[in-house]
Amino acid sequence: MTVLSAERPERDEAPHDPAREREAGDAGRDDALPPTYDAAATEGAIYARWQAAGIDTAHASRSERDGGGRVPFTVLMPPPNVTAVLHVGHALNDTVQDVLARWRRMAGDEALWLPGTDHAGIATQNVVEKKIAREEGLSRYEVGREAFVERTAAFVRETGGQILDQLKAIGASADWSRTAYTLSPELSRAVREAFVRLYERGLVYKGHRVIHWCPRCMTSLSDEEAEFKDTPGRLFHLRYAVSDDPARALVVATTRPETLFGDVAVAVHPDDERYADLVGRTVRLPLVGVDIPVIADAYVDRDFGTGALKITPAHDPNDFEVGRRHGLAAPIVIDAAGFVREVTDAAGRVPAAFDGLERFEARARAVEARAAEGTLVRAEPHQHAVRHCYRCDTVVEPRLSDQWFVRMAPLAEPALAAVRDGTVRILPERWEAVYLRWMENIRDWNISRQLWWGHRIPVWYDDATGETFVSRDDLTQSPTTGNRLRQDEDVLDTWFSSWLWPVSTLGWPDADAPDLRAFYPTDVLVTAPEILFFWVARMIMAGYAFGGGAPFHTVYLHGTVRDTQHRKMSKSLGNGIDPLEVVARYGADALRWTSVAGLGMGADVILDPDDLEKSFAPGRNFCTKLWNIGRFLLQNVGSAPVLALEHVAPERLTHADRWVLARLDAAVRDCDAALGPARPPRDGTGAPRWPEAERTAGLRLNEYAEAARRFVWSELADWYLESTKARLAVGGTDDCEVARAVLAHAFDGALRLLHPIVPFITEALWHRLPSSPRGALLAGEAWPAPRGWTPASDVAGPFDVARACVEAVRQIRSDYAVPPGRRVDVYVQPTDAPADGELAAIVGALARADVHLVDGDALPFDRQLAAQQIVRGATVFVPLVGLVDVAKEREKLTKELAGLEKQLAALRGRLANAGFVDRAPAAVVEAERAKERTWADRAVQLAQSIAALARGS
């Protein structure tokens, strides 16, 4: 299908078909597991099976809001521009969304991840204009509006969905049957409806004021689209001679001397005694030779520059307000392309020498001319914030213009309250204050753009009568006079369509649309902080204005992908990473794991574009390890059917079995806590609202990744699997079958936990588990739930004691340089539990030791001639006589003790110094005291070991 089709494709609303899913799963089943994981040969086939099974398709009829039995969970994809190509920022953003969608789908929710694209007015028009100019040498004006729009639409139809196809390569499980497009007929209808409704409420109006203008894009911009950037410039001090006393002058300070041709006054503060006698008089405007008044206005900052400001109402928004208060003219002297000209009400103001100069060239010429006539007092370096176009980075030109605006203050009120009362939470929480501050000081939104590509403003004019008509339907004739009407030339700001995204994509303005009824409000919005105001805040306002409430309950603002110099990755800097190259080299799962595992709450992700091997090593290494664990485990489990765990009597389980099942329970709880809660609880009124204690809970994706990794890697593979090798080797026994059942169950749980992050490799491994139903797909299976195996947290279970003993023996081996292959005698004296044969077997197998269990205090050797470690639940002894070179070991420990005593003496001297103890922070002093205690204990231990070795030599 084409993602930009005019008609939304029909969707199969039937429930999941198990036979269909089994068929899709069986299509790629191959029980032979290769020695290495081949992502390139695996991922495409697995994705095709998911698609064939309809795993990612949501059904309104199954949502409890539409009479079904499932809780809806909705995530809306921030629509990428139709001109965009997948970059690493997209990959991060969409991976996070995919993790959430897969998690909730497995958890039993009716999960909808709705994708789509944005028509991107400025960006797309620029691309097509450049293409036509490059290939045909024509401007859009020569092509004509209608033909240009059609050619742009054709370009979008051809290339606009590429980024969505690329998202499939990283495993995005979006419901592609619902792919939306902001310029589709359905969403265009919603845009027009929103405009008309706001106009009818008096919230849309046409205003004559100074706006931000991009001379490159040739359109107005909103406040948010004109971004401030610190820019080096110069502050020019210019003399304006008093008209009736040329020997006297006012000196003004300005950064923009090229606008002097539009000056209509010089303003001073009403309380500034320096200029009190000049208020009401006039000064001569240099280079132009006209007299302009000196006015008093409280806007003037007496402490900036000279305390006198030139007032140019048509080219500065603050000057415009001053001009309105004083009834001043507003001559426009810079045209739309950024050239100095007499545009409006400026006759006779622009000297011939300046007419047609580009604005920055005019600035330099004006300074030269002022210097030549002696009215330039001085110029000094000045760093200041200058607005730039967010699309092309051109310096924005303030310009007087007629534009359409939305009154934002009334719309902001419920959106402010929603964040304050917990209806909507913003994560990380530091962004909440930024949101509130912006909303409390919100300004009206300039929504008209001087473009051809976009939603044309639904306003028509009767030029004969001056009447204006706003309509949901296209008009050609005046409904009152029958005169031919002219539609407004401008289009709406692209963000005016995307602020409706949560409602328009679900069927609004049809109040009874099935998707709107079933899936609105949505749940989590995942996006970047830089569009908090462009998009997020406006969507919340639109949700209350049109959807009847907040459009989502959680805003998750993830960090930014940066290079090793902490610069944001961008095409202009040449420091970007192509995610598809990463997928081709290491696989989609390696890309996803690296992104998620390093994604602390609000933390940036640092990658090296010059070293992909290093950047994505965490993901590549994890996938390699997981595959190796899977191969080893599956080889030990075998392919024969395994017992279902519920059919295994509890008394048949060993300590190791119970331990790994308890650790799986703990991992599930840790993953649930890191990810959730999935939605807010309902307050006393029945409204969903985040209580203060849960405002920051969940969405700790790196913690979720670590909890799942720790279980499969450190606990299942490193401990349980190693401990059960002997049981698995004796095939056909009852003990072997129990071990196989537990191992299969534990690995099944691990793969389910990991699946949302690394879906391809987990699907490939799970598919081969003998416990997996033939033909099923992991993507459609249930999220694991704790089964009550976890022992009391304050009691060390027998397997925990065995693990501690193994680690103690390994540490002793390391301390005394005992070769890994040499068997050692180990004596274990349990303290919290009676001696246990299973404990001895585990320690013997994993520590390469002959284990002797000691019941009571009697030991068959001199305990002073043994290395000893006290662990939780036991004391471990390893006799040293005959195991190590006693004399050499004594010499080594003696040297270590001497060095430690020297360090201890220095540390104790520092702690005995009252000056240090009194002046240093309490935490530092306490840390030093703790260090002294640790070193003292080690010194005693070393002395005892030396004495023991002396007796044994």
Side-chain angles (χ1 to χ4, degrees):
M1 59 163 280
T2 173
V3 300
L4 304 176
S5 60
E7 297 299 326
R8 182 175 293 170
E10 292 295 323
R11 293 187 297 277
D12 176 12
E13 288 293 337
H16 279 315
D17 182 351
R20 179 185 175 196
E21 294 182 13
R22 283 196 300 273
E23 183 179 344
D26 280 338
R29 182 147 188 164
D30 179 1
D31 291 323
L33 200 63
T36 58
Y37 176 59
D38 187 347
T42 304
E43 292 177 349
I46 287 177
Y47 195 88
R49 294 202 295 275
W50 291 333
Q51 294 282 285
I55 293 295
D56 53 20
T57 303
H59 300 276
S61 60
R62 291 204 299 247
S63 166
E64 65 178 12
R65 296 177 189 158
D66 200 39
R70 296 190 182 184
V71 179
F73 185 85
T74 311
V75 177
L76 298 176
M77 181 185 293
N81 291 349
V82 288
T83 58
V85 175
L86 188 69
H87 58 63
V88 74
H90 290 127
L92 171 64
N93 178 266
D94 287 283
T95 295
V96 171
Q97 293 172 75
D98 193 46
V99 167
L100 299 181
R102 288 179 182 274
W103 166 51
R104 295 318 304 168
R105 199 176 288 130
M106 294 178 75
D109 290 351
E110 190 60 24
L112 167 61
W113 181 20
L114 198 152
T117 52
D118 193 300
H119 67 280
I122 295 176
T124 306
Q125 180 158 314
N126 282 345
V127 168
V128 176
E129 279 193 82
K130 289 178 181 177
K131 184 175 185 291
I132 292 173
R134 183 177 62 252
E135 296 176 356
E136 304 173 42
L138 299 175
S139 70
R140 64 172 163 129
Y141 302 102
E142 292 171 303
V143 172
R145 181 168 191 149
E146 189 173 329
F148 179 83
V149 169
E150 176 48 43
R151 291 172 73 162
T152 306
F155 170 80
V156 169
R157 283 194 296 270
E158 200 172 306
T159 64
Q162 287 181 354
I163 189 171
L164 300 184
D165 290 333
Q166 292 167 344
L167 283 174
K168 297 173 184 178
I170 66 169
S173 63
D175 186 345
W176 304 110
S177 72
R178 283 179 166 83
T179 300
Y181 174 47
T182 53
L183 212 55
S184 68
E186 298 92 346
L187 272 64
S188 295
R189 174 173 167 247
V191 168
R192 184 170 289 194
E193 180 68 27
F195 183 95
V196 174
R197 287 195 190 186
L198 292 174
Y199 182 83
E200 291 172 344
R201 290 175 57 187
L203 297 179
V204 163
Y205 66 94
K206 195 167 192 178
H208 184 66
R209 62 175 64 176
V210 174
I211 47 86
H212 309 296
W213 181 269
C214 176
R216 162 64 185 81
C217 299
M218 294 292 283
T219 184
S220 62
L221 304 171
S222 67
D223 288 344
E224 295 72 34
E225 293 169 321
E227 299 175 335
F228 280 115
K229 291 188 178 181
D230 284 338
T231 306
R234 289 192 295 169
L235 187 64
F236 302 96
H237 294 256
L238 309 173
R239 294 178 72 253
Y240 285 64
V242 178
S243 302
D244 57 8
D245 185 5
R248 189 178 178 191
L250 271 175
V251 176
V252 304
T254 181
T255 59
R256 305 185 66 217
E258 72 276 11
T259 63
L260 70 91
F261 309 115
D263 290 356
V264 295
V266 172
V268 298
H269 195 278
D271 299 330
D272 196 332
E273 295 179 357
R274 294 174 294 175
Y275 308 119
D277 65 319
L278 292 178
V279 175
R281 297 164 68 179
T282 63
V283 293
R284 180 59 56 94
L285 180 60
L287 303 183
V288 180
V290 300
D291 293 329
I292 58 177
V294 178
I295 62 174
D297 195 281
Y299 162 71
V300 178
D301 181 355
R302 286 178 288 181
D303 298 324
F304 176 77
T306 63
L309 295 179
K310 60 194 271 318
I311 302 300
T312 317
H315 296 282
D316 183 278
N318 296 311
D319 289 6
F320 178 75
E321 296 301 327
V322 172
R324 287 212 304 186
R325 286 196 291 271
H326 294 270
L328 302 174
I332 301 175
V333 295
I334 298 179
D335 68 11
F339 291 85
V340 173
R341 301 186 191 280
E342 295 178 350
V343 182
T344 304
D345 300 328
R349 280 183 160 266
V350 178
F354 288 86
D355 187 40
L357 292 181
E358 192 274 332
R359 54 185 170 153
F360 295 116
E361 183 183 357
R363 176 180 300 179
R365 293 276 190 91
V367 171
E368 292 172 1
R370 297 295 294 267
E373 71 174 15
T375 57
L376 174 64
V377 177
R378 68 179 184 277
E380 57 193 32
H382 180 63
Q383 189 84 3
H384 58 143
V386 177
R387 288 187 183 267
H388 288 65
C389 175
Y390 83 118
R391 281 295 178 196
C392 67
D393 203 38
T394 299
V395 173
V396 166
E397 184 65 35
R399 191 166 186 268
L400 185 61
S401 177
D402 289 330
Q403 302 289 336
W404 287 94
F405 294 86
V406 176
R407 299 185 200 279
M408 299 299 280
L411 297 173
E413 289 179 10
L416 264 168
V419 172
R420 285 176 175 150
D421 68 16
T423 301
V424 176
R425 63 173 180 164
I426 300 175
L427 300 175
E429 61 181 332
R430 67 175 182 270
W431 287 104
E432 181 178 309
V434 179
Y435 170 92
L436 295 175
R437 187 165 57 250
W438 183 78
M439 294 288 278
E440 287 164 353
N441 298 282
I442 199 165
R443 298 174 64 179
D444 288 354
W445 175 16
N446 171 13
I447 58 171
S448 49
R449 299 290 178 269
Q450 289 63 51
L451 303 171
W452 289 352
W453 179 245
H455 298 96
R456 197 161 175 181
I457 291 177
V459 175
W460 287 261
Y461 305 100
D462 185 335
D463 293 328
T465 65
E467 290 182 283
T468 298
F469 302 94
V470 176
S471 174
R472 291 173 174 81
D473 302 312
D474 287 345
L475 300 177
T476 56
Q477 292 182 312
S478 167
T480 57
T481 66
N483 293 339
R484 185 173 181 80
L485 298 178
R486 172 181 58 86
Q487 188 174 1
D488 197 299
E489 292 291 321
D490 292 347
V491 300
L492 289 163
D493 179 8
T494 300
W495 298 102
F496 192 87
S497 54
S498 57
W499 81 322
L500 302 174
W501 194 247
V503 291
S504 62
T505 55
L506 296 175
W508 186 86
D510 292 336
D512 200 40
D515 282 355
L516 189 67
R517 189 172 60 241
F519 296 110
Y520 187 88
T522 69
D523 289 271
V524 181
L525 177 74
V526 179
T527 189
E530 53 261 35
I531 56 174
L532 179 59
F533 310 127
F534 281 112
W535 191 45
V536 179
R538 289 173 180 163
M539 279 196 292
I540 297 174
M541 289 185 271
Y544 278 98
F546 308 114
F552 30 72
H553 57 70
T554 296
V555 177
Y556 176 81
L557 303 173
H558 57 70
T560 301
V561 183
R562 299 185 183 276
D563 64 17
T564 51
Q565 300 178 50
H566 291 264
R567 301 175 301 175
K568 181 180 178 180
M569 290 190 174
S570 70
K571 187 184 296 184
S572 60
L573 288 176
N575 64 342
I577 291 175
D578 180 359
L580 298 183
E581 181 182 352
V582 178
V583 171
R585 291 173 65 171
Y586 311 115
D589 288 331
L591 171 73
R592 293 167 64 105
W593 180 267
T594 298
S595 300
V596 173
L599 193 64
M601 178 63 73
D604 291 337
V605 176
I606 308 300
L607 300 173
D608 188 349
D610 298 320
D611 192 346
L612 297 185
E613 182 79 15
K614 177 182 177 183
S615 293
F616 294 94
R620 180 205 59 201
N621 293 345
F622 175 77
C623 290
T624 299
K625 177 72 173 180
L626 181 60
W627 188 257
N628 290 338
I629 290 171
R631 286 188 73 243
F632 186 58
L633 183 147
L634 291 169
Q635 287 170 359
N636 281 274
V637 169
S639 59
V642 296
L643 292 169
L645 192 62
E646 54 266 26
H647 296 155
V648 177
E651 60 271 16
R652 295 169 66 189
L653 298 173
T654 65
H655 296 318
D657 298 335
R658 294 177 182 276
W659 176 84
V660 78
L661 294 172
R663 296 314 303 155
L664 175 58
D665 273 5
V668 172
R669 283 194 295 271
D670 289 345
C671 289
D672 285 343
L675 285 168
R679 50 188 61 85
R682 296 189 177 272
D683 64 13
T685 69
R689 186 165 289 125
W690 292 105
E692 196 66 40
E694 294 185 20
R695 293 273 185 104
T696 61
L699 295 180
R700 265 63 177 176
L701 299 187
N702 60 324
E703 295 178 15
Y704 151 53
E706 173 55 22
R709 184 211 65 81
R710 184 173 58 244
F711 173 71
V712 71
W713 192 317
S714 302
E715 296 168 344
L716 176 60
D718 288 353
W719 287 106
Y720 180 74
L721 181 56
E722 288 296 321
S723 74
T724 57
K725 282 182 180 177
R727 298 166 64 194
L728 293 167
V730 186
T733 66
D734 182 73
D735 193 35
C736 174
E737 291 308 304
V738 170
R740 291 180 68 238
V742 172
L743 195 54
H745 176 82
F747 194 50
D748 174 279
L751 293 176
R752 290 172 193 249
L753 290 176
L754 288 166
H755 178 75
I757 310 178
V758 284
F760 291 107
I761 193 170
T762 52
E763 187 75 73
L765 289 169
W766 185 86
H767 203 50
R768 293 169 171 84
L769 269 174
S771 56
S772 299
R774 190 167 187 85
L777 290 167
L778 177 57
E781 291 295 303
W783 183 255
R787 298 180 60 160
W789 292 103
T790 305
S793 59
D794 60 338
V795 176
F799 191 78
D800 286 308
V801 175
R803 289 173 64 232
C805 293
V806 170
E807 289 171 340
V809 175
R810 289 172 177 173
Q811 183 61 52
I812 291 170
R813 279 181 174 277
S814 174
D815 288 345
Y816 290 94
V818 177
R822 183 173 179 179
R823 295 191 71 82
V824 297
D825 283 307
V826 173
Y827 291 80
V828 177
Q829 189 176 54
T831 56
D832 291 347
D836 188 294
E838 184 184 343
L839 181 149
I842 292 171
V843 176
L846 299 185
R848 196 167 184 79
D850 295 320
V851 179
H852 311 276
L853 295 176
V854 179
D855 189 5
D857 294 330
L859 293 171
F861 55 85
D862 183 351
R863 71 174 58 217
Q864 297 299 321
L865 297 177
Q868 172 182 336
Q869 282 207 20
I870 298 174
V871 299
R872 188 180 183 192
T875 302
V876 178
F877 300 91
V878 176
L880 297 176
V881 177
L883 185 66
V884 298
D885 185 329
V886 174
K888 186 176 181 180
E889 194 63 33
R890 186 176 68 246
E891 181 183 356
K892 184 186 77 172
L893 296 182
T894 300
K895 287 181 179 178
E896 182 182 346
L897 177 59
L900 183 59
E901 287 176 336
K902 185 176 180 179
Q903 291 177 297
L904 257 174
L907 177 58
R908 285 167 173 162
R910 188 158 58 252
L911 289 171
N913 184 340
F916 167 75
V917 174
D918 293 341
R919 288 195 298 269
V924 172
V925 175
E926 180 53 38
E928 292 294 272
R929 285 175 174 156
K931 189 189 298 182
E932 191 270 341
R933 291 190 293 271
T934 301
W935 287 0
D937 290 343
R938 176 61 176 162
V940 170
Q941 185 182 33
L942 286 170
Q944 291 173 345
S945 297
I946 292 168
L949 290 170
R951 288 193 299 273
S953 59

